[in-house]
Amino acid sequence: MKDNHISRRKFIENSSIALSGIAVLPANLSLFGLSNAAKRLRVGVIGVGSRGRGLLSLLKDIKDVEVAAICDLREDNILAAKKMIAPSAKVYKDYKELVNDKKVDAVIIATPLYLHYPMAVDALQNKKHVYLEKAISYDIPQAIDLVKQVERSGMVFQVGHQYRYYGLYKRIKEIIDKGWLGKVMHYECQYHRNSNWRFPVPAGMDERFVNWRMYKASSGGLMTELCGHPIDVVNWMVGAAPLRVTGIGGIDYWKDGRENYDNVRVVYEYPNGVKSSVSSILSNAYKGYGIRILGDKGSIIVTQDQARLFSENVKREIGTVDGVTGATKAVHYGDGEVVDFSDLDPLKKDPTYYALVDFFECIRTGKKPAADVYTGRDVAIASHMANIAMETHQEQVWKPEYSV
């Protein structure tokens, strides 16, 4: 065993709960198919564009769930959705008619950001369970109020932060909590793409309607649409919302009339001095998505579907490095050890599949979602704080009323 990284054997041996006691997924896999005796749930999907149809493709594999209704303003989206999964689903153009449909038990909302809050509120007030894609709100006051709306409704409310249901991240959370990385003080997160992030505009359609992510009236841009995922992961790992944030951004590459930034870089501070940097750019996709979790005894480097665990050389040899006396000599880390989570993901499904299955299980059993309105509120507020910090060039501080 090399002493510059943690071996797989040590990784497993040091965890008395790694393969058994951490009940992340139940041993009975019937949860993922749902028994034939389960009550059939009728679902309405509001917004069947690219994300909505992605959700539809996963719903078709979940037993005892019927897509009873779909809603979208675009006829091409409706036609594509009906071909995919819902040929007999009732079609609505007005979402309010769908949430008033008494035959619908739950709604899944996958619409542009500015519509999330009003649609969720209307659904809750019509006694519908809600699965809402992130971010949960267009601004901070909406996020705060949505918590009150959910608490009053008594309905299940789940947010589309699907990584909370992903075995890989559950294993990483376990590693951090057991102290294998030592004292974790830094997270480095990125969500990079090399794309203008635009969709083609069909003839006769409004460009702002199709490319709503580009404009401030309808979206929070990169912070709410992409960075929300790593922000949620760090909140989960740290066990707290950030205390403050500062950052910079701009429209420096895609100068095409958009209003939201094409590059953002922000730094959050959490309790006990923990820092998390988050960047998203649209001009380079090298190592596109990733999180680096840095502790004084080890690090975890997370990519889209894998993580590698590295140990630090805890014997800090002091020498001369690059002519600087007293510097710590560099350590060769090798390739690290792959974090094994296969026992937590027996079906090899997309994380969103597990999130949707859990949503329906919550409806049936009354248990609480892992990604609920409170975690969703914290991510939405953190994202909006970052946008305000970048636009005003002023640090933003978490206020007590954000957590009430």
Side-chain angles (χ1 to χ4, degrees):
M1 179 180 70
K2 297 179 180 179
D3 62 0
N4 66 331
H5 62 75
I6 299 173
S7 73
R8 182 184 304 277
R9 177 177 296 176
K10 184 176 181 182
F11 172 76
I12 296 298
E13 288 176 351
N14 283 353
S15 173
S16 61
I17 62 172
L19 299 179
S20 57
I22 185 168
V24 183
L25 296 182
N28 183 357
L29 295 181
S30 64
L31 170 62
F32 299 102
L34 300 179
S35 69
N36 291 330
K39 175 184 180 295
R40 190 168 185 80
L41 294 173
R42 293 169 59 85
V43 180
V45 180
I46 305 174
V48 288
S50 58
R51 180 56 180 169
R53 293 199 299 276
L55 294 167
L56 285 175
S57 70
L58 299 173
L59 287 170
K60 67 182 180 182
D61 293 330
I62 302 176
K63 293 182 180 179
D64 301 309
V65 172
E66 174 190 353
V67 178
I70 56 177
C71 178
D72 204 286
L73 293 176
R74 290 181 55 167
E75 191 64 34
D76 54 342
N77 286 345
I78 291 289
L79 292 174
K82 287 179 72 69
K83 286 180 181 178
M84 276 186 63
I85 188 175
S88 61
K90 192 166 184 179
V91 175
Y92 292 99
K93 289 294 184 73
D94 185 346
Y95 83 89
K96 291 189 176 182
E97 294 180 5
L98 188 152
V99 298
N100 277 316
D101 188 337
K102 298 190 182 303
K103 294 182 179 180
V104 171
D105 301 304
V107 298
I108 295 173
I109 301 172
T111 57
L113 177 65
Y114 74 103
L115 296 171
H116 285 188
Y117 168 81
M119 288 181 169
V121 170
D122 284 345
L124 291 168
Q125 291 179 349
N126 281 277
K127 295 301 177 183
K128 300 293 188 289
H129 304 289
V130 175
Y131 183 103
L132 178 64
E133 278 296 345
K134 52 87 188 139
I136 67 169
S137 70
Y138 174 74
D139 58 25
I140 292 176
Q142 286 183 357
I144 295 170
D145 185 68
L146 191 51
V147 171
K148 299 174 184 177
Q149 297 283 345
V150 172
E151 290 175 341
R152 282 197 293 263
S153 73
M155 309 305 290
V156 173
F157 183 92
Q158 186 167 319
V159 183
H161 288 300
Q162 66 267 23
Y163 291 142
R164 286 185 181 251
Y165 301 87
Y166 193 14
L168 177 63
Y169 287 96
K170 293 182 180 186
R171 181 70 86 225
I172 292 169
K173 174 66 171 168
E174 176 196 347
I175 290 170
I176 294 172
D177 289 349
K178 288 181 70 65
W180 297 350
L181 302 184
K183 190 173 184 179
V184 176
M185 295 299 295
H186 299 280
Y187 294 79
E188 298 174 350
C189 312
Q190 69 174 62
Y191 208 141
H192 296 179
R193 293 180 175 181
N194 197 334
S195 163
N196 64 4
W197 211 23
R198 287 186 176 276
F199 290 90
V201 180
M205 286 192 185
D206 184 359
E207 197 275 333
R208 286 177 175 257
F209 172 74
V210 175
N211 287 303
W212 53 272
R213 295 172 183 84
M214 305 292 106
Y215 303 103
K216 291 183 178 180
S218 48
S219 171
L222 293 169
M223 289 306 308
T224 57
E225 306 304 329
L226 295 183
C227 296
H229 286 302
I231 292 170
D232 183 57
V233 170
V234 175
N235 285 4
W236 177 21
M237 299 299 148
V238 174
L243 301 176
R244 58 190 178 121
V245 62
T246 186
I248 57 174
I251 305 172
D252 303 303
Y253 186 85
W254 295 107
K255 299 182 179 182
D256 54 4
R258 71 185 61 208
E259 296 171 354
N260 285 325
Y261 295 154
D262 63 23
N263 69 97
V264 296
R265 293 184 181 274
V266 303
V267 178
Y268 291 98
E269 181 177 6
Y270 287 83
N272 302 313
V274 174
K275 308 295 192 306
S276 174
S277 63
V278 182
S279 67
S280 186
I281 65 176
L282 295 177
S283 56
N284 183 284
Y286 179 65
K287 294 185 178 180
Y289 170 87
I291 300 177
R292 291 168 291 281
I293 305 170
L294 311 178
D296 60 0
K297 292 183 180 178
S299 305
I300 296 180
I301 311 303
V302 188
T303 56
Q304 197 75 47
D305 58 1
Q306 191 183 71
R308 287 186 176 271
L309 177 63
F310 299 82
S311 70
E312 286 284 294
N313 184 352
V314 295
K315 181 181 178 182
R316 295 177 175 85
E317 298 180 15
I318 304 300
T320 301
V321 180
D322 293 334
V324 180
T325 302
T328 303
K329 291 182 178 179
V331 178
H332 176 65
Y333 286 94
D335 295 326
E337 290 293 331
V338 176
V339 175
D340 184 8
F341 70 103
S342 58
D343 59 306
L344 304 184
D345 186 21
L347 300 182
K348 303 295 187 291
K349 292 282 192 178
D350 184 288
T352 304
Y353 172 83
Y354 297 120
L356 290 169
V357 168
D358 192 73
F359 174 56
F360 299 121
E361 189 70 7
C362 288
I363 293 172
R364 291 191 172 99
T365 67
K367 74 171 186 173
K368 303 297 184 183
D372 60 16
V373 70
Y374 305 103
T375 62
R377 171 201 62 193
D378 291 351
V379 175
I381 291 176
S383 301
H384 296 313
M385 285 172 59
N387 276 335
I388 296 170
M390 288 185 287
E391 290 170 1
T392 63
H393 305 289
Q394 294 181 345
E395 176 185 276
Q396 296 298 301
V397 177
W398 191 276
K399 298 178 181 178
E401 57 264 33
Y402 295 169
S403 302
V404 174

